[in-house]
Amino acid sequence: MKSKILYILLGLFVCTNLFAQEETTEVKEKDKPVRFAWESGMLIDQQTSMVPTVKTLEMVIQHKFGSIDNGSSDLWGIYAPAGNIRLGLNYVVANNVQIGWGISRRNMYNDFNIKWTILEQTRKNKVPVFVTVFANTAIDGMDRDDLELYNYDMPYARSRFNLKSRMSYFAELIIGRKVTNALSVQGAVSFSHANFVPQWQDHDRVGLHFNGRLKVSPQGAIIFNFDAPLQIDDLSEQNPGWNAENTPGWDGPYHPEPNLSFGYEVSTSTHAFQIYMGNSQAMLLQDMMINNYNGIDFDNFAIGFTITRLWSF
C-alpha cells in the first residue's frame, strides 16, 4: 500500500514538474524578440531597429558615385568626380543602446550619434512592433573659402561661419514590424535643424520616412527607402519678398526634394552588403532633409553601396 502511494506521489510530482517546465518555456517564448527583421543596423541611408549584442563594434562604409546622367562617358557616374563617402564606427554600450561616430567626404561632416531600440517586437505579438529612437549631431568641416560652392555666397557668410554655425541636428522616432518571415517594414517621423542656412532655406524641417525589406533568398533581399521633407508653412521662415537685388543667388523659395532609393542586399551573420540607386547625394539624414536639390528624375539617380561589418568583443 505504501509502495502504491509512493508511486502515485512520484507520478504527480513528475507531471507537475513537466507542466511547469512547459509553462515556463511558453512564457519565455512569448517574451522572445523576433529574429532577423533586419540584417543590418542600416538600410541604405536609414537606421533600422537592429542593435547588435553588447560589446559589438560595427564598421560602416557608405559610398555614392556621381549621377548616371552622363551615361557611358563616366561609366554611369562611377568615375564621376562628384561623389560622397562616409566611414563610421558604432559600438553597443548596453542592451539595445548603440553610440557611434562617422566622417563624410561631403562638407567633411563629423557626426556623433546614438540609437536606442526601446521596444522589440515579440514572436507571440505581446509587443506587435519595434520602437527605436535615433539622434545625431554633425559638425560641418567645410572650408570657409568654399562657401560659395554650396550657395552660401553672402557678404557676411564667412565671418558668421563659426563652430556654432557649423552644427546641425537630427532626431527621429522609428516604428516598424516584421510582417512575415520575408517582409519587414518601418515608418519614421523626423526633425532636422541646421544652425546656418542661406536666407532662402529653412533652418528646421520635419520629415517622413518609409523603408522596407523583402527577402527573396536565404541571403538576399530587395530593399527600399523613401524620405519626404514636409512643407509646413507654420514652421517655414522663407520670405517671398527676398529677391536677387538683396540676396545673391536668389531663385525663389527653396523646398528640398524627396529621396527615393532602392536596391539589393546580400548578408551573412557578420556582414551586410547593399547596392542601390538613389537621387540624393547626402549621407547624413539632416543633410538629405534640408539640402537635397535632386528631384526624383532618372538622370539624378546615382549608384551607391553600404557595407556593415560586426566584431564581437
Side-chain angles (χ1 to χ4, degrees), residues 220-292:
I222 298 169
I223 56 177
F224 71 89
N225 280 354
F226 182 70
D227 308 285
L230 301 182
Q231 298 180 20
I232 303 175
D233 292 339
D234 290 341
L235 192 64
S236 178
E237 309 159 46
Q238 294 175 2
N239 185 346
W242 289 103
N243 52 51
E245 294 179 1
N246 53 27
T247 306
W250 170 253
D251 192 27
Y254 166 69
H255 298 292
E257 299 286 346
N259 169 62
L260 174 65
S261 303
F262 54 90
Y264 192 78
E265 176 187 63
V266 179
S267 60
T268 68
S269 59
T270 57
H271 294 75
F273 176 77
Q274 302 167 357
I275 185 166
Y276 62 89
M277 293 186 70
N279 64 292
S280 173
Q281 279 293 317
M283 297 287 190
L284 293 179
L285 289 166
Q286 63 262 52
D287 190 16
M288 184 185 298
M289 290 291 98
I290 295 175
N291 298 313
N292 182 28

Side-chain angles (χ1 to χ4, degrees), residues 21 35 45 67 100 120 144 175 188 198 214 235 243 248 299 312:
Q21 287 180 350
R35 298 184 65 194
D45 299 308
S67 61
E120 295 182 280
R144 292 184 182 185
I175 300 175
L214 178 63
L235 192 64
N243 52 51
D299 287 342
S312 296

Side-chain angles (χ1 to χ4, degrees), residues 40-42 56-60 88-91 98 308-310:
S40 171
M42 295 198 67
T56 297
L57 178 68
E58 178 184 53
M59 181 182 70
V60 180
L89 292 173
N90 303 316
Y91 188 70
Q98 176 181 277
T308 57
R309 172 68 163 94
L310 302 178

Side-chain angles (χ1 to χ4, degrees), residues 19-146:
F19 178 76
Q21 287 180 350
E22 289 177 3
E23 187 178 34
T24 301
T25 302
E26 185 179 352
V27 170
K28 286 183 178 178
E29 179 136 320
K30 282 184 178 179
D31 294 334
K32 204 166 185 180
V34 297
R35 298 184 65 194
F36 307 123
W38 312 100
E39 295 289 350
S40 171
M42 295 198 67
L43 194 72
I44 305 179
D45 299 308
Q46 181 60 271
Q47 297 291 322
T48 71
S49 65
M50 178 186 168
V51 177
T53 56
V54 179
K55 297 183 179 179
T56 297
L57 178 68
E58 178 184 53
M59 181 182 70
V60 180
I61 302 174
Q62 298 169 262
H63 190 113
K64 290 184 179 180
F65 298 100
S67 61
I68 64 175
D69 60 333
N70 290 325
S72 59
S73 63
D74 59 8
L75 203 57
W76 290 273
I78 292 178
Y79 288 118
N84 196 7
I85 302 170
R86 180 180 178 272
L87 303 177
L89 292 173
N90 303 316
Y91 188 70
V92 184
V93 295
N95 186 40
N96 287 331
V97 179
Q98 176 181 277
I99 60 173
W101 163 84
I103 184 169
S104 305
R105 176 186 175 184
R106 178 180 165 109
N107 288 29
M108 291 303 292
Y109 283 114
N110 272 269
D111 64 277
F112 304 88
N113 58 75
I114 183 168
K115 180 166 68 172
W116 177 26
T117 294
I118 303 171
L119 293 176
E120 295 182 280
Q121 179 185 346
T122 56
R123 293 184 180 181
K124 297 295 182 180
N125 276 329
K126 185 177 180 180
V127 181
V129 295
F130 58 78
V131 178
T132 302
V133 291
F134 173 81
N136 75 30
T137 298
I139 303 172
D140 191 329
M142 179 173 55
D143 193 295
R144 292 184 182 185
D145 293 336
D146 293 333

